[in-house]
């Protein structure tokens, strides 16, 4: 998290939280949702400004209640999630044995433990991701942790995932194994409605 953001929390500790105005879509794009978008359940406008996207990504965190937010200076802007708190991409790499690396929409590494397949054909990567976490829901003190979570795999990478996997049908979903960095990782079925509870996140935080 940016040092200037942490300093602003000390200087202005009681700025009201913001809900509903920022969303993360299933392709890892940050979206600004004005009052019209919120009232009409629209996705909002994709944020195109490169520096703003990077600022949001650097200051993305979650609290102990499972609410994800962007710490915008002294203000906590809670994020509405289309799918999961993280979107995974398979990016070419010279360092990995299979010449690919897994990164979140924030550019942070994912250390995968397995994958999940839901009833709609979505693939989710489970694993540990570096995350910023306040000591309690209203705390202005953050710790950097690496904890187990889930990331929706970007649909542009489904063919890559398929090439690395062996699966069989299992109750409208799939079960099998996924080859990553020389390891066979499990692919297990899940229903999309189970994700939030299992991985402790709130898709639409509210005050």
């Amino acid at each position: 998290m940016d040092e200037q953001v942490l300093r602003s929390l000390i200087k202005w500790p009681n700025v009201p939280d913001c809900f509903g105005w920022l969303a993360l879509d299933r392709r890892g794009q940050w979206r600004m949702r004005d009052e019209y978008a919120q009232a009409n359940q629209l996705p909002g406008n994709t944020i195109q400004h490169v520096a703003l996207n990077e600022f949001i990504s650097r200051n993305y965190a979650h609290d102990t209640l499972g609410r994800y937010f962007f710490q915008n200076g002294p203000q906590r802007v809670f994020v509405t999630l289309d799918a999961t708190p993280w979107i995974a991409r398979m990016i070419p790499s010279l360092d990995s044995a299979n010449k690919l690396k897994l990164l979140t929409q924030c550019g942070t590494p994912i250390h995968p433990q397995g994958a999940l397949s839901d009833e709609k054909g979505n693939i989710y990567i489970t694993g540990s991701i570096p995350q910023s976490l306040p000591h309690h829901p209203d705390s202005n003190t953050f710790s950097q942790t690496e904890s187990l979570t889930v990331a929706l795999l970007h649909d542009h990478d489904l063919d890559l995932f398929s090439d690395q996997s062996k699966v069989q049908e299992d109750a409208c979903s799939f079960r099998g194994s996924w080859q990553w960095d020389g390891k066979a990782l499990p692919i297990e079925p899940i229903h999309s409605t189970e994700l939030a509870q299992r991985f402790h996140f709130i898709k639409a935080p509210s005050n």
Side-chain angles (χ1 to χ4, degrees), residues 66-95:
R67 303 179 300 177
Y68 280 75
F69 60 89
F70 155 49
Q71 191 70 52
N72 181 26
Q75 185 176 54
R76 194 165 288 185
V77 181
F78 286 92
V79 179
T80 301
L81 307 171
D82 274 7
T84 56
W86 306 97
I87 308 300
R89 292 302 314 264
M90 293 183 175
I91 306 296
S93 170
L94 298 177
D95 301 327

Side-chain angles (χ1 to χ4, degrees), residues 138-179:
D138 299 320
S139 175
N140 293 328
T141 304
F142 288 78
S143 297
Q144 187 75 9
T145 64
E146 190 165 306
S147 54
L148 178 66
T149 187
V150 64
L152 173 69
L153 183 64
H154 196 292
D155 54 11
H156 285 180
D157 296 330
L158 289 174
D159 286 343
L160 282 172
F161 181 86
S162 179
D163 291 342
Q164 300 168 345
S165 304
K166 295 180 180 179
V167 298
Q168 63 267 5
E169 290 188 20
D170 182 15
C172 300
S173 187
F174 295 96
R175 184 185 298 273
S177 63
W178 163 45
Q179 294 293 323

Side-chain angles (χ1 to χ4, degrees), residues 62-68 85 195-202:
H62 71 95
D63 63 20
T64 54
L65 300 177
R67 303 179 300 177
Y68 280 75
L195 287 162
Q197 182 175 5
R198 179 169 170 180
F199 293 98
H200 190 55
F201 65 86
I202 296 174

